Amino acid sequence: APSRAGLRSRRASVRAGASRVPAVAAADVDALPAELKKIIGAFQMVPDPMSRYKQLLFFAAKLKDFPEEARVDENKVPGCVSQVWVVPRIEDDKVYFVADSDSQLTKGLAALLVTGLSGATPKEIMAVEPDFVELLGLGQSLTPSRTNGFMNMLRLMQKKTLEAFMAAEAAKEEA
């Protein structure tokens, strides 16, 4: 069994690291779409979890209107406690998203992805690794189910990007 001193020391190191945003190799950040890098930088400038949480709510408020007819199961994020819908469109070989949610916090997470990924190429979007969320420093603010929902949003956006890209390529070949 671990000693009390060992447990205290481990707890202290966990607490000390809890508020720190993990450092990730510059190459990992460089691979992200430009807008997503800007968002990560903005979140890293915010000193405390409550302010980051408020920043998410600010993103939610900036999300554009979502078309009512797009609130269908095929656009719905699976495995999310809240209802979240995501729709991409490809324009000039770049992907643009719209999204919505019935929860303000989840809407903020969706808006973060919409803002960070819109205007990127399909290749850039497909290359985004889910662990970039650690760079945002939101770990303390999100429950495990919200973090899981955020990952599912990213996965669905990547899946829908691939589908939209394939459809756009097929349409080009037919033209």
Side-chain angles (χ1 to χ4, degrees):
S3 70
R4 282 185 174 197
L7 283 175
R8 268 197 305 274
S9 152
R10 220 179 356 220
R11 267 191 237 122
S13 68
V14 167
R15 274 197 304 272
S19 64
R20 208 175 56 233
V21 176
V24 171
D28 295 340
V29 176
D30 288 343
L32 294 172
E35 281 303 310
L36 197 53
K37 281 191 255 189
K38 283 185 200 171
I39 292 168
I40 288 168
F43 270 83
Q44 288 178 343
M45 301 283 287
V46 176
D48 65 286
M50 186 48 91
S51 296
R52 285 187 210 116
Y53 186 87
K54 287 178 181 171
Q55 202 167 2
L56 269 182
L57 297 179
F58 172 73
F59 268 95
K62 290 183 9 177
L63 203 57
K64 291 183 172 85
D65 287 339
F66 190 80
E68 201 56 46
E69 64 277 5
R71 291 176 198 272
V72 295
D73 283 346
E74 73 180 55
N75 296 330
K76 197 170 176 186
V77 176
C80 213
V81 175
S82 304
Q83 294 192 82
V84 185
W85 299 270
V86 177
V87 177
R89 69 179 160 72
I90 293 191
E91 191 176 296
D92 299 325
D93 298 322
K94 304 251 190 219
V95 184
Y96 298 89
F97 291 96
V98 290
D100 198 15
S101 176
D102 60 354
S103 152
Q104 281 304 105
L105 178 61
T106 308
K107 192 173 191 169
L109 292 168
L112 187 152
L113 286 172
V114 165
T115 305
L117 298 178
S118 287
T121 65
K123 185 177 180 180
E124 289 172 317
I125 292 168
M126 298 309 291
V128 173
E129 293 291 336
D131 61 0
F132 90 88
V133 70
E134 294 171 23
L135 297 172
L136 295 166
L138 291 169
Q140 316 84 305
S141 304
L142 300 179
T143 63
S145 66
R146 289 251 194 256
T147 302
N148 186 47
F150 185 68
M151 298 300 168
N152 289 342
M153 276 184 239
L154 175 62
R155 284 188 204 103
L156 182 65
M157 290 171 97
Q158 289 173 323
K159 177 181 180 246
K160 290 193 146 300
T161 293
L162 190 56
E163 290 169 355
F165 174 74
M166 298 303 275
E169 289 299 303
K172 283 181 191 174
E173 287 176 17
E174 289 173 12

